[in-house]
Amino acid sequence: MRIAVVGGGISGLVATYRLRQSLGASADLTLIESRTRLGGVLHTGPVAGEPVDLGAEAFVGRRPEVPALLRELGIADQLVHPAGLRPLVWAGGRTHPLPARTLMGIPSGPDGIASLLDAETVALIAAEPTRPFSWRPGADIDVYSLVADRFGAQTVARSVDPLLGGVYAGTARSIGLRAALPTLAAALDRGAASLTAAVSATLPPPSDAPVFGALRDGYAVLLRALAERSAPATVRDTAVTALRRASGGWQVDPVGEFDAVVLATPAPVTARLLAEVAPAAAQAAAGIELSSSALVVLELPKDTALPQNSGVLVATGEPLRAKAFTLSSRKWPHLAARDTAVVRVSFGRFGDDSVATLPDPELIAAATADLATVTGAPITPRSAVVQRWPGGLAQYAPGHLDRVAEIESELAGFDDLTVTGAYLHGVGVPACIASASTAAQRIATAPTGARPPNP
């Protein structure tokens, strides 16, 4: 059986690995990636001679997929957890503690968030349960429209946007409630009397379990292990220009003919490749927009005066150009043990690429100046690394679940073609692992020789 996996990010690598597991050494697997490097938005590079993740650095530790996969691959000793420090929020020209007991920054009441907001907004939050509230079950609106109406625009700018910016490189205006916050949407559908009540019903019980995890030597360790355990698989570094039916399965141009195909490509590429063979799915995928971002990793002297916090998130509307600072040497004990301090400075939100596309020297200067502003101390980098991520993150806009359902509904008619990726059921690494595993299982268990008719 000849199978092509198009896209060599984490989703494509996991799909290839799972196919090898299921089908054994006799399966002829080809992994096709348009870049010369595998891993997609996961990329580990040297900073002061030591590995540092230059894309995503952490995963949600309460999901099981990453720890389970590390154990499978024999690299469970790479799993590390943060030091337990809390982040700050930069708003109104100073830092504030990030409010606790919120749902993606949406408060369950005025307690704990009052120091971040003005008195008028705090009063609005306190009175929200007494105001008339209506919700149409099944409705899907952007997060901004709901939260700004009930809790005020300042709550969105200072508490919600900083968190959504980290997850999606977007804002509350570009992210839909139902896809990004499904548990909150479910609570509203059940008839919650107010947004306060819905958030309160949705918050998980307090837990001492680490919220995040990471790999001690970076995601490169995971990517390498997946590639090694997928062997013997052919890797082709070329762009796929077309996908069409062939007598024996699929013609994947310019690579060749295959019995089955897994598309682990970004939404716009998926839309282009499906245009002829699955037009409804292609149209739905084309409606999923992407956000671009850039990262500056600063290597600093170890004694640089950094806050004793895991990072600093930046509220929207602030004059700073950066959207977030990860104080990596504070956040991660394994990085704190190194001889230098490491800070990751993130730029770029959906709809605004003006800063993220600055030339490298200007972007490094912006990162240095903004970090000096939030720390109140001189910043003198020893070195800096710039990593850009054009179209790196899908925006889960209102109607996202309908788009995904349309994609999966049409492709359900094929037993030899499926999709996976961060634009479907979650942008995080655990969600990508789950999606890729499902896609691989579908191909591996399809009836041999069953082929739908040519479209």
Side-chain angles (χ1 to χ4, degrees), residues 399-424:
H400 181 80
L401 297 184
D402 293 335
R403 296 183 186 92
V404 172
E406 183 70 31
I407 294 168
E408 294 180 336
S409 175
E410 185 169 19
L411 293 182
F414 298 88
D415 64 2
D416 55 357
L417 173 65
T418 191
V419 295
T420 180
Y423 66 92
L424 292 169

Side-chain angles (χ1 to χ4, degrees), residues 85-90 95-102 104-105 112-113 115-116 158-163 212 309-314:
L85 302 176
R86 292 281 298 169
L88 300 169
V89 178
W90 179 268
T95 55
H96 310 257
L98 181 73
R101 302 297 292 163
T102 70
M104 194 62 75
I113 199 171
S115 64
L116 183 60
R158 294 188 171 190
S159 186
V160 181
D161 272 352
L163 291 167
F212 298 108
N309 297 89
S310 60
V312 183
L313 307 176
V314 179

